[in-house]
Amino acid sequence: MTRPKFKKDHIVTSVVAVIINDDREVLLTKRSIPPFQGEWVMPGGKIDLGEPIIKAIEREVMEEVGLQVEVVDLLDVFEHVTPGDENYHFIILYYRCRPLFCDITHNQDEVDEARWVAQQDLAALKMPDGTRFILGKVFLQESQDTP
């Protein structure tokens, strides 16, 4: 059996911050670069070698949107393997986070726009399937937790 070739010789591990504010809005960024260029996603990126997971989340959020966050809990783990010329093997850790403040200053090198989005406005936004799945899971849990 022929083993597929990958761009990296290791699994790339990434973190994504699902940041929910006190108004139950989620922070989304419209990417200006690949991957997901032109789509709405949550802040995140690769964990650097030797970097603790929580520090990676805090760093990525600060780099992309200028926020400090409190990491609340692990929401989900995804594995993503992409065949073809752009072969990557990703493990993506989704963490729920709470912002310590809500003023956004987005990194214009990576992000066209960043904004707080209410649940009812999510359907109108172009986003990857994984993002939509996680947000559906988060807001379902939110509605079950609210009396």
Side-chain angles (χ1 to χ4, degrees), residues 50-65:
E51 183 179 34
I53 293 170
I54 301 305
K55 293 293 181 199
I57 294 168
E58 293 169 347
R59 175 184 53 78
E60 284 291 343
V61 171
M62 182 57 73
E63 286 176 4
E64 290 186 24
V65 293

Side-chain angles (χ1 to χ4, degrees), residues 19 21 25-32 39-44 60-67 102-118 125:
I19 307 168
N21 67 17
E25 298 167 316
V26 63
L27 180 62
L28 295 179
T29 63
K30 187 174 183 184
R31 299 279 299 168
S32 62
E39 295 186 75
W40 290 90
V41 297
M42 288 135 331
E60 284 291 343
V61 171
M62 182 57 73
E63 286 176 4
E64 290 186 24
V65 293
L67 285 183
C102 292
D103 295 331
I104 307 165
T105 306
H106 69 275
N107 177 348
Q108 296 181 355
D109 293 335
E110 296 181 29
V111 175
D112 279 334
E113 185 180 349
R115 69 178 187 221
W116 294 102
V117 180
L125 300 177

Side-chain angles (χ1 to χ4, degrees), residues 11 15 37-38 48 55 59-60 75-76 83 106-107 126-127 132 146:
I11 297 172
V15 290
Q37 186 172 3
D48 293 334
K55 293 293 181 199
R59 175 184 53 78
E60 284 291 343
L75 291 169
D76 212 334
H106 69 275
N107 177 348
K126 181 181 178 189
M127 62 182 66
R132 200 166 296 285
T146 304

Side-chain angles (χ1 to χ4, degrees), residues 64-78:
E64 290 186 24
V65 293
L67 285 183
Q68 290 179 323
V69 294
E70 173 189 0
V71 178
V72 177
D73 62 3
L74 178 66
L75 291 169
D76 212 334
V77 178
F78 274 24

